[in-house]
């Protein structure tokens, strides 16, 4: 008789835990019907804000923007016949003023896994940094831009398809 009571308590407790978990999930999905029931509610904000092509004053339809602190980095990859032309707009402040005196490099990983570091040089006419990337394998390229601005180091991550 004693083991029957213990078994019943364990069974009832398990059932209550199960019902509590189901009702919690049901209330979350009913409070926001457009979100899936499997949505992760423990979200963290990224260190940098990324925007693509909806950015006001964008420099191209393929441009990608990363805001890092007070800095604005905008990468514009443009396909050419034998290469991809990379333009990087490195700007600061609310008015997005160009920064002409930074040392900028791009670490590019091709779809086949090969890595290459490409220096970007400043084009004073266009007020941006530029480099040409030889045509390589088709697919998605990952780009990490590093800008040394005085004593500060700013990084931005981008990707593009070639």
């Amino acid at each position: 008789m004693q083991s029957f009571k213990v078994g019943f308590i364990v069974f009832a407790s398990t059932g209550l835990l199960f019902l509590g978990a189901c009702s919690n999930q049901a209330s979350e999905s009913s409070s926001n019907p457009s979100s899936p029931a499997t949505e992760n509610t423990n979200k963290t904000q990224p260190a940098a804000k990324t925007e693509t092509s909806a950015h006001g004053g964008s420099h191209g339809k393929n441009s990608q923007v990363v805001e890092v602190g007070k800095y604005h980095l905008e990468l514009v990859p443009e396909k050419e016949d034998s290469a991809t032309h990379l333009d990087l707009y490195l700007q600061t402040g609310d008015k997005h003023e160009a920064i002409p005196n930074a040392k900028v490099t791009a670490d590019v990983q091709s779809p086949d896994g090969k890595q290459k570091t490409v220096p970007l040089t400043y084009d004073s006419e266009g007020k941006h940094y530029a480099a040409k990337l030889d045509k390589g394998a088709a697919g998605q390229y990952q780009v990490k831009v590093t800008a040394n601005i005085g004593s500060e180091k700013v990084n931005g991550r981008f990707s593009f398809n070639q």
Side-chain angles (χ1 to χ4, degrees):
M1 186 68 165
Q2 189 72 355
S3 65
F4 176 75
K5 287 182 183 178
V6 172
F8 179 75
I9 291 173
V10 170
F11 177 76
S13 297
T14 305
L16 287 174
L17 287 172
F18 179 74
L19 287 175
C22 289
S23 70
N24 188 22
Q25 186 176 6
S27 68
E28 284 178 5
S29 63
S30 66
S31 67
N32 189 359
S34 64
S35 68
T38 59
E39 179 180 358
N40 181 3
T41 57
N42 296 327
K43 295 180 182 172
T44 58
Q45 294 296 328
K49 182 173 118 180
T50 303
E51 303 174 21
T52 55
S53 71
H55 170 70
S58 176
H59 292 96
K61 66 178 182 172
N62 295 326
S63 70
Q64 300 171 44
V65 175
V66 175
E67 299 283 344
V68 182
K70 63 182 180 179
Y71 297 105
H72 172 94
L73 290 83
E74 183 170 354
L75 182 71
V76 184
E78 295 180 11
K79 293 180 189 177
E80 296 177 350
D81 291 337
S82 62
T84 297
H85 185 86
L86 299 177
D87 288 333
L88 178 78
Y89 294 86
L90 178 60
Q91 302 166 333
T92 186
D94 293 336
K95 296 181 182 179
H96 292 169
E97 299 163 353
I99 302 172
N101 55 351
K103 181 181 178 197
V104 182
T105 59
D107 294 322
V108 181
Q109 181 178 356
S110 61
D112 57 7
K114 293 180 183 174
Q115 298 225 358
K116 183 177 186 180
T117 299
V118 180
L120 284 88
T121 56
Y122 190 71
D123 174 15
S124 57
E125 235 178 79
K127 295 186 178 181
H128 68 280
Y129 292 84
K132 283 199 178 194
L133 185 62
D134 294 335
K135 189 170 186 172
Q140 187 174 48
Y141 285 71
Q142 302 293 325
V143 181
K144 177 187 173 192
V145 173
T146 303
N148 291 317
I149 308 165
S151 63
E152 293 185 86
K153 189 175 194 177
V154 181
N155 294 317
R157 293 189 180 270
F158 305 92
S159 65
F160 66 90
N161 289 322
Q162 180 168 304

